[in-house]
């Protein structure tokens, strides 16, 4: 692929594999989960219990209020540096937009398989309905179907992948995407200020806030303790991820002190995490934390991850103002296009990509 052709909307491919929603329906009858989904590593690390810490909660309204912003942004910095994850309350995304997202997404996944497949991934990309990061015939598989589209900048939208059923879907996703752009822009500014760099420094790199939305559908599985909905990974292509849990089923777990820490979203919260790009730009001051999704035996689970990408022309490496004496440069510098190529050439594998970029 010629370098100038590498772009967030056309990079990556994945070997096509069975639809998991359909597979789950047949397994419910037969009881046998195919071996490719059985993962011996599921229980390799303990799951954290109550009392093993508390995921930081950040109040977006306080970040914007001069009386509290300093205190709240210090909390935000601590969350991004120590946990790499936090819950965001009072983000001001209108309730109607969230509720309509939930309703439209649930309805889309209820459609017959053939109707969903009208928006299936093509061979040359990852947009649409399908799966991602399947790179070999031997690789173990995740117990989930996904729907992914680039939502911003608006001129990069490829509408053929955007569902027309339910009829409100496109408009709802478009509104949600605009709301999340607003929230993410503010977070980028506050994160930059708390790092002690110019407030617009990150906004310049994430110019115009390129954005992708990934909807995860995790069907129930009778052998839930043997399968994974989403392999351990860090959010590789982006700087910041904002996750909305669609229904009231838990599944996200994050690596914290050698344990899997279950995230239980508070009512109305978005779960936000630092991606690889912000870890690298911040020269390791912020942390892109490994996380995974586990499966429920009886209930399906749905979530929406919104990823914020740097501009395609960006150069990704530790920001010079954060490379100081005693804090030497920790990662290689490369063009974002080269970074994308590396990211999409691999399966999801914990922090291995980030580690490979360490100096
Ligand atoms: C992701 C992700 C977690 C979840 O899509 O990158 O980490 O709870 N999702 O679905
Ligand atoms: Ni993730």
């Amino acid at each position: 692929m010629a370098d100038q052709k590498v772009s967030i909307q056309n990079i990556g491919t994945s070997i096509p594999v069975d639809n998991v929603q359909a597979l789950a329906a047949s397994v419910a009858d037969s009881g046998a989960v195919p071996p490719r989904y059985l993962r011996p590593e599921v229980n390799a690390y303990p799951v954290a219990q109550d009392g093993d810490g508390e995921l930081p909660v950040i109040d977006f309204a306080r970040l914007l209020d001069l009386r509290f912003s300093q205190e709240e942004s210090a909390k935000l910095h601590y969350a991004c540096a120590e946990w790499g994850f936090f819950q965001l309350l009072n983000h001001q995304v209108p309730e109607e937009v969230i509720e309509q997202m939930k309703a439209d997404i649930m309805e889309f996944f209820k459609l017959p398989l053939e109707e969903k497949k009208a928006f299936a991934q093509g061979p040359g990309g990852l947009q649409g309905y399908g799966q991602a990061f399947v790179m070999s015939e031997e690789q173990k598989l995740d117990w989930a179907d996904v729907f992914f589209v680039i939502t911003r900048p608006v001129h990069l939208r490829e509408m053929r992948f955007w569902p027309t059923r339910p009829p409100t879907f496109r408009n709802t996703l478009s509104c949600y995407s605009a709301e999340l752009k607003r929230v993410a822009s503010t977070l980028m500014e506050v994160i930059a200020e708390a790092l002690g760099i110019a407030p617009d420094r990150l906004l310049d790199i994430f110019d115009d806030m390129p954005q992708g939305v990934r909807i995860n559908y995790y069907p129930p599985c009778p052998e839930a303790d043997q399968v994974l909905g989403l392999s351990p990974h860090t959010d590789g292509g982006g700087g910041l991820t904002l996750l909305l849990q669609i229904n009231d089923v838990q599944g996200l777990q994050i690596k914290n002190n050698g344990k899997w820490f279950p995230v239980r979203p508070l009512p109305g919260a978005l779960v936000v995490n630092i991606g690889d790009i912000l870890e690298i730009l911040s020269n390791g001051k912020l942390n892109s934390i490994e996380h995974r999704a586990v499966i429920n035996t009886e209930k399906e689970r749905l979530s929406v991850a919104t990823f914020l990408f740097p501009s395609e022309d960006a150069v990704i490496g530790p920001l010079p103002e954060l490379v100081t004496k005693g804090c030497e440069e920790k990662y290689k510098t490369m063009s974002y296009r080269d970074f994308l190529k590396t990211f999409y050439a691999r399966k999801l594998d914990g922090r291995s990509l980030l580690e490979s970029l360490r100096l």
Side-chain angles (χ1 to χ4, degrees), residues 55-58 76 79-80 84-88 187 270-273:
L55 191 64
V57 178
I58 302 297
L76 174 69
C80 296
F85 264 88
F86 58 90
Q87 306 223 28
L88 186 68
L187 290 177
L270 290 169
V271 175
V272 182
N273 68 284

Side-chain angles (χ1 to χ4, degrees), residues 19 21-22 107-119 129 165:
N19 179 271
Q21 193 173 1
E107 204 169 322
F108 175 74
F109 281 95
K110 282 200 189 103
L111 293 174
L113 182 58
E114 284 316 308
E115 286 192 46
K116 291 191 290 259
K117 279 197 169 160
F119 305 96
Y129 177 61
R165 287 197 58 193

Side-chain angles (χ1 to χ4, degrees), residues 183-348:
V183 176
S185 306
T186 301
L187 290 177
M188 286 285 184
E189 268 183 278
V190 180
I191 289 172
E193 272 188 291
L195 277 169
I197 58 180
D200 55 1
R201 187 71 162 102
L202 295 176
L203 287 177
D204 281 348
I205 295 169
F206 290 77
D207 189 26
D208 211 21
M209 293 267 148
Q211 185 194 77
V213 167
R214 176 183 155 115
I215 305 174
N216 300 295
Y217 179 86
Y218 305 104
C221 180
E223 294 186 61
D225 59 344
Q226 307 290 319
V227 305
L228 281 176
L230 186 53
S231 299
H233 67 285
T234 58
D235 289 345
L240 211 54
T241 307
L242 296 93
L243 187 93
L244 173 68
Q245 193 163 280
I246 294 293
N247 62 347
D248 211 10
V249 179
Q250 315 310 337
L252 173 62
Q253 299 183 336
I254 69 177
K255 200 64 143 325
N256 183 260
N257 286 326
K259 293 182 185 173
W260 288 112
F261 182 95
V263 174
R264 301 186 189 94
L266 298 167
L270 290 169
V271 175
V272 182
N273 68 284
I274 298 293
D276 290 3
I277 301 293
L278 272 188
E279 173 167 329
I280 296 171
L281 291 169
S282 70
N283 199 24
K285 289 191 164 54
L286 309 180
N287 262 301
S288 178
I289 294 294
E290 209 177 320
H291 53 285
R292 68 177 190 177
V294 296
I295 293 296
N296 190 284
T297 43
E298 263 122 55
K299 293 183 193 148
E300 63 185 6
R301 172 168 183 266
L302 294 97
S303 67
V304 182
T306 302
F307 303 101
L308 280 310
F309 303 120
S311 102
E312 289 182 340
D313 299 319
V315 173
I316 304 301
L319 296 173
E321 46 291 38
L322 296 174
V323 177
T324 49
K325 205 153 180 278
C327 192
E328 274 70 33
E329 201 162 6
K330 292 195 179 129
Y331 307 86
K332 291 177 199 155
T333 293
M334 60 165 89
S335 72
Y336 182 55
R337 287 194 168 87
D338 283 342
F339 185 91
L340 276 179
K341 280 194 273 189
T342 316
F343 174 59
Y344 281 114
R346 306 161 64 105
K347 64 174 186 171
L348 292 178

